[in-house]
């Protein structure tokens, strides 16, 4: 099926670093092996009106081109519209397809450099998403799924550590780096001055000493 690139959308709850599935005991999606039940790579995304319209038009064209007998005359729009006039949809890829483990979606940066396999994309990041259209009929309802193939990270939002506390009065840690050079200066300043010693006036150098010194200076440039 044809490939389509959805450009400059906001990533929502991306799960691309590995396969995940919903755990009813924990009430959330958890990492799993690709061959686990309902295992998939997935990403939801938020897009503006023009992007949503372009995507739906392309999906509709694919639907009509592959429409079977008794299918609905036109594609039903399943995008979710929020109060800000933005639309949300989802692309995914099953961990196993036709009894074979699927190839993990590619993740690259804005310069097309491949990101590490364990790269963790974050909600709020701006991305381009490459998908393939797959028209289907399931339970008497027809639509076009977006099979996730690759993600290009245009703008990355770093992960923030969750801190449940607010700032309050009390202990404040001030990190102080040790500097061996400052320590030396402090010791020199704090040292008690030693009594001055009267140095004996050196005797005039002998002729032999003058000769040796001249020899050393002459040898320096050799």
């Amino acid at each position: 099926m044809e490939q389509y690139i959805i450009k400059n959308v906001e990533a929502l709850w991306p799960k691309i670093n590995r396969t995940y599935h919903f755990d009813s005991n924990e009430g959330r999606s958890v990492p799993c092996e690709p061959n686990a039940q309902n295992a998939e790579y997935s990403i939801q995304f938020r897009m503006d009106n023009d992007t949503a319209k372009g995507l739906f038009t392309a999906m509709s064209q694919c639907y009509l081109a592959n429409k079977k007998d008794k299918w609905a005359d036109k594609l039903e729009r399943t995008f979710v519209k929020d109060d800000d006039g933005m639309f949300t949809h989802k692309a995914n890829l099953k961990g196993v397809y036709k009894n074979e483990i699927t190839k993990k979606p590619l993740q690259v940066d804005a310069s097309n450099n491949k990101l590490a396999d364990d790269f963790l994309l974050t909600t709020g990041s701006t991305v381009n998403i490459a998908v393939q259209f797959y028209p289907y009929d399931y339970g008497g309802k027809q639509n076009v799924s977006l099979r996730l193939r690759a993600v290009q990270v245009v703008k990355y939002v770093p992960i923030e550590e969750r801190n449940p506390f607010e700032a309050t009065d009390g202990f404040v840690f001030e990190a102080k780096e040790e500097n061996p050079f400052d320590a030396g200066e402090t010791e020199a300043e704090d040292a008690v001055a030693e009594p001055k010693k009267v140095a004996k006036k050196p005797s005039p150098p002998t002729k032999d000493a003058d000769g040796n010194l001249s020899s050393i200076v002459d040898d320096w440039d050799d």
Side-chain angles (χ1 to χ4, degrees), residues 66-179:
N66 295 275
K67 180 177 173 294
K68 303 283 197 279
D69 293 339
K70 297 184 179 180
W71 280 25
D73 290 336
K74 62 180 182 179
L75 180 66
E76 179 185 358
R77 193 179 75 187
T78 56
F79 301 170
V80 177
K81 186 176 182 181
D82 61 28
D83 294 337
D84 297 325
M86 302 289 282
F87 294 84
T88 302
H89 202 49
K90 178 181 179 180
N92 65 342
L93 178 67
K94 293 180 179 179
V96 173
Y97 184 71
K98 291 185 177 179
N99 297 320
E100 291 188 6
I101 293 177
T102 54
K103 186 177 180 181
K104 183 178 180 178
L106 175 68
Q107 293 191 88
V108 298
D109 65 14
S111 296
N112 275 336
N113 298 307
K114 184 179 179 182
L115 298 171
D117 284 343
D118 60 352
F119 176 77
L120 194 60
L121 183 61
T122 54
T123 289
S125 295
T126 302
V127 296
N128 296 330
I129 306 173
V131 299
Q132 282 185 305
F133 296 148
Y134 277 84
Y136 67 88
D137 177 15
Y138 182 76
K141 288 197 172 186
Q142 303 83 37
N143 214 289
V144 176
S145 66
L146 306 184
R147 190 161 293 181
L148 180 61
R149 291 305 182 195
V151 171
Q152 182 179 40
V153 183
V154 178
K155 180 181 178 182
Y156 177 69
V157 176
I159 297 175
E160 293 185 2
E161 290 188 36
R162 294 182 180 179
N163 185 348
F165 305 107
E166 295 180 356
T168 185
D169 295 333
F171 168 72
V172 177
F173 175 71
E174 295 182 3
K176 206 169 186 180
E177 294 184 5
E178 293 185 3
N179 188 331

